[in-house]
Amino acid sequence: MTLRPYALAALLVLALGTGCTIDLQHDLTEQDANEIYVLLSKHGISATKLKEEGGNELRFRMQVPKADAAQAAELLRDYSLPRPKEKGLSHFAKGGMVPTATEERAMLLKALGGEVSNALNQVDGVLEARVIVMIPENNDLTQPENKPMPSSSVFIKYRPGPKNEPPIKREDIQLFVSTAVPELKPSAVTVLLTPATTPDTEGIRDDQLKELMGIRMTASSLGQFRMMAAVAVLLVLASLGLAAWPLIRGGAGASAARARSK
């Protein structure tokens, strides 16, 4: 099978473009993929959201130019993306073996902490939330007045507000966690609030962006784009030359035949 010149040029351009990108993240939910896309776009990085094939759940992957991969990975680290997600109650999904009483209790505590962590991670401004729940074991001989009470520890990493304030108050966190765990008092919830390191800029500065043919991009992407554009133009010119060559050759042959007939 012989490829037409135009098809050959298109395949070469596609191969060149594919080789200049790299997978940044995969197995993403649509919400995580959208948040990553918006963040990278704000910083002048051209990201591509692609649907992953196979699997029972809808998943996505993100591609970025190789030249911007390091900056993109650093941005995801600074903004804790994709957001951490605990299994929660899925710890109790049916498996092949029956858990022991100790294992079942450990799964229950981890599931409670995971569900609360997932809820706190949905708060705008919270980058990462971890919750540890401790419910002491009781037996029939335990006196009611000596009954050990549950406790909890909460770690919150957040993006500071305009006045460096956290997105959620400590008292609100204690109240929220205490209502999710039976017999847990707000005073027994220990909260550690840690501000994230503020990136150099919320978005990339205008003087760090370059413009080419109305398209704004980072300096590293600009050089790569120019190279791809130059190669694409050369390939198109070459394909046009290959397409025109039979016509030119045929015209020259016809002229020579007419000259010989005279």
Side-chain angles (χ1 to χ4, degrees):
M1 181 177 66
T2 303
L3 289 176
R4 293 180 180 274
Y6 296 109
L8 178 61
L11 288 176
L12 290 175
V13 172
L14 178 62
L16 179 64
T18 304
C20 293
T21 60
I22 188 172
D23 283 346
L24 182 66
Q25 287 283 337
H26 62 90
D27 196 27
L28 298 168
T29 64
E30 187 167 14
Q31 179 181 352
D32 286 335
N34 290 339
E35 289 182 350
I36 291 175
Y37 180 84
V38 171
L39 174 65
L40 297 181
S41 297
K42 284 183 177 179
H43 287 77
I45 297 176
S46 177
T48 304
K49 172 185 167 185
L50 300 172
K51 181 181 177 181
E52 290 192 332
E53 300 297 334
N56 297 326
E57 297 182 2
L58 184 62
R59 295 290 176 175
F60 298 88
R61 58 190 173 97
M62 299 298 298
Q63 283 187 344
V64 296
K66 283 185 178 180
D68 296 326
Q71 183 188 357
E74 186 175 357
L75 283 170
L76 296 192
R77 183 196 63 192
D78 290 340
Y79 286 85
S80 294
L81 289 176
R83 292 180 181 274
K85 185 172 179 61
E86 297 288 341
K87 289 185 177 180
L89 294 176
S90 61
H91 277 290
F92 290 94
K94 292 182 179 180
M97 300 184 64
V98 178
T100 64
T102 302
E103 290 173 337
E104 192 172 45
R105 172 179 169 77
M107 287 192 297
L108 173 62
L109 296 177
K110 189 168 181 61
L112 285 174
E115 290 293 321
V116 178
S117 297
N118 290 337
L120 290 174
N121 276 317
Q122 299 304 312
V123 177
D124 188 28
V126 172
L127 300 178
E128 184 177 354
R130 302 283 182 180
V131 179
I132 301 173
V133 176
M134 180 59 192
I135 302 178
E137 291 189 79
N138 295 319
N139 55 57
D140 296 336
L141 301 177
T142 303
Q143 299 296 324
E145 62 274 10
N146 296 326
K147 179 182 177 180
M149 300 301 292
S151 61
S152 178
S153 299
V154 181
F155 166 79
I156 299 285
K157 179 183 178 183
Y158 65 92
R159 184 170 58 249
K163 298 181 180 179
N164 290 326
E165 76 280 5
I168 183 171
K169 295 180 180 179
R170 185 184 304 270
E171 296 77 11
D172 293 337
I173 297 173
Q174 291 175 318
L175 181 61
F176 178 78
V177 176
S178 66
T179 56
V181 180
E183 299 184 338
L184 178 60
K185 296 180 179 179
S187 58
V189 179
T190 302
V191 179
L192 176 61
L193 290 167
T194 303
T197 302
T198 305
D200 293 337
T201 55
E202 181 66 22
I204 193 167
R205 298 192 308 268
D206 287 341
D207 59 358
Q208 293 178 297
L209 291 173
K210 305 296 182 181
E211 186 168 341
L212 180 65
M213 296 185 295
I215 304 174
R216 293 168 64 83
M217 62 189 74
T218 59
S220 56
S221 296
L222 179 62
Q224 193 174 65
F225 180 82
R226 283 175 172 168
M227 180 186 68
M228 292 177 61
V231 172
V233 170
L234 290 176
L235 288 173
V236 171
L237 292 176
S239 65
L240 290 175
L242 290 174
W245 174 248
L247 298 177
I248 298 174
R249 186 177 179 182
S255 299
R258 286 196 299 269
R260 284 195 299 270
S261 63
K262 291 180 180 180

